[in-house]
Amino acid sequence: MNIKESIEDLRRKIRRYDYEYYVKAQPTISDFEYDQLIKKLEKLEQQYPEYITPDSPTQRVSGEPTKEFPSVIHRYPMLSLSNTYSAQDFIEFDRRTKSALKSDAHVEYVAELKIDGVAVSLSYEQGRFVQGATRGDGIRGDDITINLRTIRSIPLKIIEGKKIPSRFEVRGEVFMPKKSFEEINKKRAEQEDSLFANPRNAAAGTLKLQDARLVAERHLEMFAYYFFTEEDSFLNPTHVQNLELLKRLGFNVNPHFKVCPDIGAVLEYVREWEEKRSSLPYEIDGVVVKVNDLQQQKILGNTAKSPRWAIAFKFKAEQAETRINAVVWQVGRTGILTPVAELEPVKLAGTTVSRATLHNPDEIARKDIRQGDFVFIEKGGDIIPKVVAVNLSRRDTALQPLKIPTHCPVCATKLVRIEDEVALRCPNVECPEQIIRRIEHFASRNAMDIEGLGIALVELLVKKGFLKNVADIYSLKAEQIAELERMGEKSADNLIKAIEASKKQSLDRLIFGLGIPYIGVTAAKILDRTFQSMEALQQADMDRLQEINGIGEKMALSIVDFFRDERNRQIIDRLKEYGIRMESTGLESKQTLQGLTFVLTGTLPTYSRKQAQELIETHGGRVSSSVSSKTDYVLAGDNPGSKLFKARQLGVKVIDEKSFLDMLGS
Ligand SMILES: [Zn+2]
């Protein structure tokens, strides 16, 4: 076997294993063996780059981040299905279909699960995946090929040995499995990023990402449900045969489709899955019913918007009914009070739920929620479910409207309502609960990451009076800790070591750890990169802060307010005295751009031209105003000018802000 053949042979094997793993879920080799094959292929391709082809399994994630997706016109319009929530409409659909096909026609249906995801269209030519697009308006969609390539259940090349049309189209639903969705939201909650409302939003958001590497990390999958070709010899008589063909070609077809001899069987299928839906590892929001006979489909045709041969039955959102035993008001680290309902434990979408958020006093008033009420709960994007409505028919007439607290349940300070905000806030920054939450936040994994300093220990230390603010952490003595219940000398020593180690954490973690309202992980990183030191950040005024891309007015105001507070300034001074890092780590590797010449063009997403220039210069690089053969890099943003063209002509490397920041090692 020559090199080219061994490369092809490896690819063939990997494709087969991918199919077994991602589509059939029946792997025949271990992950280790699989990784070895991939490594072998990568090595060969590195040695012989002339043999790299876009359909190689190593090329799923490729290309530079894109700015926007080009639009494509669908070869066949992507119609949407008409949908209904009632069985009556289903029976009507059956009657209409039969009368359009002559009343004595026998009509067989195929019922499929309606996957709650994003519809996409995939084009294949000569067995290769050449283009993938979103539905868009049905006529024109976005070309998201680069992102779809990262989905392992989409074959880049049809498994060999199959007779296939030279050109065909596949439609399917890209979705995020429940497990990936929960993991992503958990991570986002930790980083104080906004949460995805549901797996569908998460899948849609992911497909719009401009960096395919990030898409690859999100574990999207696809079920194929539609096959189309114009080549006569591949035209099957029924839809079910097309589904079987898709399976043979290596596509992931949902296994639960069913051929139904009449509409009664369809209704039974709907009832069955409405009950069983929570047992599936992905979300479904209904059932799709199609006429099985493709000839009949053709006769029925389409309306302007949707096919006449299919209809979707939508399930209502999954709910459970239970009783509110009590309502407690939780005080957060910024003083905001959140009402939480303690529920009679109930099963919902596969888990037992005993708490639900009531959001804020306005929500309670709007829904007229009372302690002792029976309520319907639903899972949203949050980890904690929400109360949708009260079941008034079961309300005990003795129940009184909920009392909205006027004073903090922890420190008894009079509560305030901030303008423009519905939330109630305890204004006492020395409120013990706020202190506990702030210190816990400071020590948490995404902030200073002090191992062993969890909520329970923080509570104990605050109660003992050892901790009043985050600076006190650094004056803790091993003896003090060892005295506490369940803390031996050993764990006390370990904690002191962890506290000591946290002094070296990066500036962005410190900024995030301070708990400035509205400043999450991402904003903290931007502030670190922009200001490079706590001192510079402290001195920044509104104008300067608002110039920064990614820092809005609300954030800017919050930062200015935070540093205006004398108590916060004192805490920072003390942290400085204890030797906590107050400078960006970027400053230490200052000379990473030594000897390199940059030319700037276009608008960068985060930095102004001036800031970028400063950054290059503080790292030892040089900025020139025109591109020449001596230019090392052109740093290009949006709407670049002729400099970009010149760079391309001269073969000068063009980079975007992200790659630039990677060069700085931040
Ligand atoms: Zn309080």
Side-chain angles (χ1 to χ4, degrees):
M1 222 182 327
N2 65 29
I3 295 296
K4 197 176 169 203
E5 282 164 357
S6 1
I7 287 180
E8 254 323 306
D9 182 57
L10 268 170
R11 289 176 184 162
R12 223 177 348 254
K13 280 184 184 142
I14 292 168
R15 273 180 207 125
R16 167 61 56 182
Y17 296 135
D18 275 346
Y19 173 69
E20 286 170 354
Y21 188 94
Y22 292 102
V23 176
K24 292 177 78 184
Q26 291 167 339
T28 53
I29 58 166
S30 70
D31 290 356
F32 177 76
E33 287 169 290
Y34 178 86
D35 290 342
Q36 294 301 314
L37 287 176
I38 290 276
K39 276 193 191 127
K40 206 165 150 192
L41 176 60
E42 277 171 351
K43 215 172 142 200
L44 276 173
E45 287 181 344
Q46 234 163 44
Q47 272 176 295
Y48 304 95
E50 62 271 31
Y51 295 136
I52 298 181
T53 57
D55 60 24
S56 169
T58 61
Q59 304 297 306
R60 282 201 176 264
V61 183
S62 62
E64 288 288 300
T66 39
K67 264 276 164 263
E68 64 185 27
F69 301 110
S71 74
V72 282
I73 295 188
H74 296 299
R75 202 176 166 85
Y76 315 103
M78 281 182 87
L79 302 175
S80 54
L81 296 182
S82 51
N83 48 51
T84 172
Y85 290 89
S86 88
Q88 198 48 50
D89 284 355
F90 247 42
I91 292 160
E92 177 57 25
F93 164 76
D94 179 52
R95 199 198 53 74
R96 228 174 25 235
T97 304
K98 282 182 174 151
S99 86
L101 291 170
K102 308 283 179 285
S103 56
D104 57 343
H106 175 71
V107 183
E108 194 175 66
Y109 294 105
V110 182
E112 294 167 63
L113 300 180
K114 188 170 181 303
I115 312 298
D116 200 8
V118 180
V120 295
S121 175
L122 314 174
S123 303
Y124 283 79
E125 280 171 22
Q126 316 305 334
R128 288 184 171 81
F129 174 42
V130 292
Q131 190 175 61
T134 59
R135 183 203 303 277
D137 61 7
I139 304 295
R140 191 190 293 268
D142 288 341
D143 180 344
I144 51 164
T145 314
I146 186 165
N147 285 347
L148 290 172
R149 286 175 61 91
T150 67
I151 299 174
R152 309 292 286 243
S153 44
I154 294 179
L156 296 182
K157 187 169 186 229
I158 298 306
I159 307 172
E160 264 146 288
K162 308 282 179 207
K163 278 183 95 177
I164 46 166
S166 62
R167 209 198 137 84
F168 63 90
E169 221 172 281
V170 173
R171 297 222 168 127
E173 198 83 357
V174 170
F175 64 97
M176 185 177 283
K178 287 178 186 168
K179 200 164 154 255
S180 315
F181 169 71
E182 275 158 24
E183 277 164 12
I184 284 166
N185 257 0
K186 201 170 149 220
K187 208 167 133 197
R188 290 174 76 91
E190 278 171 9
Q191 302 191 340
E192 306 200 358
D193 277 337
S194 60
L195 299 182
F196 288 119
N198 51 50
R200 176 173 24 87
N201 281 355
T206 302
L207 285 178
K208 280 197 208 119
L209 287 175
Q210 282 155 352
D211 189 341
R213 283 169 300 186
L214 297 178
V215 180
E217 288 168 9
R218 295 268 181 95
H219 305 293
L220 294 177
E221 291 184 27
M222 188 194 82
F223 282 128
Y225 53 63
Y226 185 76
F227 169 87
F228 189 80
T229 181
E230 283 170 354
E231 288 157 51
D232 288 348
S233 53
F234 292 95
L235 293 182
N236 284 314
T238 66
H239 173 60
V240 161
Q241 281 164 302
N242 276 345
L243 291 179
E244 297 294 349
L245 173 67
L246 281 169
K247 274 203 240 175
R248 288 198 302 276
L249 294 178
F251 289 91
N252 198 11
V253 173
N254 187 281
H256 302 296
F257 68 84
K258 191 176 181 187
V259 180
C260 302
D262 53 43
I263 202 73
V266 172
L267 287 170
E268 213 167 282
Y269 179 90
V270 170
R271 269 193 296 273
E272 178 190 340
W273 283 103
E274 186 150 28
E275 219 165 89
K276 289 205 300 205
R277 60 192 288 207
S278 66
S279 65
L280 293 166
Y282 43 84
E283 296 275 2
I284 59 170
D285 61 342
V287 164
V288 174
V289 182
K290 296 171 186 160
V291 169
N292 192 19
D293 187 310
L294 298 181
Q295 192 54 40
Q296 288 181 338
Q297 282 192 6
K298 214 169 163 185
I299 296 168
L300 290 162
N302 309 317
T303 69
K305 272 192 278 174
S306 45
R308 287 197 189 89
W309 43 265
I311 190 169
F313 184 95
K314 297 257 265 182
F315 296 147
K316 291 184 190 74
E318 224 170 330
Q319 291 188 343
E321 188 182 349
T322 189
R323 188 172 175 273
I324 294 183
N325 290 332
V327 173
V328 292
W329 293 80
Q330 280 184 352
V331 183
R333 68 182 156 81
T334 57
I336 288 178
L337 266 72
T338 309
V340 175
E342 290 184 345
L343 307 168
E344 194 60 40
V346 64
K347 278 263 188 206
L348 174 64
T351 55
T352 302
V353 172
S354 55
R355 287 153 71 82
T357 178
L358 301 176
H359 300 287
N360 56 55
D362 283 11
E363 277 287 296
I364 292 177
R366 197 170 60 79
K367 293 175 182 157
D368 186 21
I369 293 166
R370 304 180 184 191
Q371 187 163 320
D373 264 337
F374 284 90
V375 290
F376 298 108
I377 56 168
E378 229 174 59
K379 275 201 177 163
D382 287 303
I383 317 278
I384 173 162
K386 59 179 181 191
V387 171
V388 189
V390 175
N391 184 354
L392 289 173
S393 68
R394 293 182 74 181
R395 172 172 283 173
D396 184 335
T397 47
L399 294 185
Q400 295 298 310
L402 263 184
K403 283 214 175 63
I404 304 303
T406 53
H407 292 77
C408 175
V410 180
C411 70
T413 305
K414 196 168 179 341
L415 298 174
V416 293
R417 237 182 163 166
I418 292 161
E419 229 184 307
D420 297 343
E421 278 184 28
V422 285
L424 279 175
R425 197 187 283 263
C426 165
N428 174 18
V429 289
E430 272 151 41
C431 173
E433 189 62 26
Q434 289 182 49
I435 292 175
I436 291 167
R437 297 283 167 187
R438 278 202 297 270
I439 297 173
E440 179 208 14
H441 172 78
F442 183 84
S444 69
R445 203 146 58 87
N446 286 302
M448 300 301 269
D449 194 19
I450 304 175
E451 214 190 312
L453 194 55
I455 183 86
L457 183 58
V458 172
E459 241 180 270
L460 216 54
L461 290 165
V462 170
K463 280 193 184 131
K464 285 266 178 194
F466 295 157
L467 293 183
K468 288 193 189 66
N469 59 52
V470 298
D472 293 341
I473 295 173
Y474 296 95
S475 63
L476 278 175
K477 301 272 174 299
E479 305 88 73
Q480 288 175 316
I481 302 163
E483 268 174 33
L484 303 171
E485 292 161 56
R486 282 172 305 191
M487 287 294 283
E489 240 168 71
K490 181 118 202 308
S491 34
D493 277 348
N494 285 342
L495 183 61
I496 293 292
K497 271 186 204 139
I499 290 171
E500 194 57 32
S502 75
K503 292 180 176 176
K504 294 269 173 311
Q505 291 290 15
S506 54
L507 180 61
D508 61 312
R509 282 172 171 271
L510 176 62
I511 296 170
F512 174 62
L514 290 175
I516 307 168
Y518 310 116
I519 303 302
V521 168
T522 312
K525 285 203 168 110
I526 294 172
L527 294 170
D528 174 347
R529 281 205 310 250
T530 309
F531 293 103
Q532 308 262 311
S533 78
M534 184 61 81
E535 206 178 331
L537 172 61
Q538 269 175 284
Q539 282 161 5
D541 60 11
M542 278 301 282
D543 288 347
R544 177 70 190 93
L545 287 163
Q546 277 180 276
E547 263 175 26
I548 305 165
N549 201 332
I551 305 293
E553 192 187 344
K554 214 164 158 184
M555 289 183 183
L557 196 62
S558 173
I559 294 165
V560 170
D561 276 351
F562 184 87
F563 290 117
R564 199 177 280 156
D565 191 323
E566 177 62 29
R567 285 167 295 206
N568 292 330
R569 285 210 302 274
Q570 272 173 12
I571 287 171
I572 288 162
D573 287 344
R574 279 183 60 205
L575 289 172
K576 215 177 285 178
E577 279 164 33
Y578 288 124
I580 282 85
R581 187 201 294 276
M582 295 279 162
E583 311 270 292
S584 186
T585 27
L587 284 179
E588 289 176 353
S589 52
K590 229 178 173 171
Q591 303 306 310
T592 41
L593 304 180
Q594 185 76 47
L596 298 177
T597 304
F598 288 77
V599 171
L600 306 171
T601 179
T603 318
L604 299 174
T606 318
Y607 291 103
S608 71
R609 194 71 79 85
K610 191 162 163 286
Q611 290 167 339
Q613 176 161 1
E614 277 170 16
L615 211 50
I616 291 168
E617 286 165 357
T618 52
H619 286 76
R622 217 172 68 78
V623 176
S624 160
S625 58
S626 63
V627 182
S628 74
S629 56
K630 292 199 181 102
T631 311
D632 294 292
Y633 294 97
V634 168
L635 174 52
D638 273 349
N639 303 318
S642 58
K643 289 173 189 172
L644 183 66
F645 182 69
K646 188 88 187 283
R648 294 250 155 88
Q649 267 187 328
L650 293 172
V652 173
K653 242 188 148 165
V654 178
I655 54 171
D656 63 1
E657 187 185 274
K658 194 175 170 299
S659 337
F660 169 65
L661 294 174
D662 286 344
M663 285 174 77
L664 300 182
S666 59

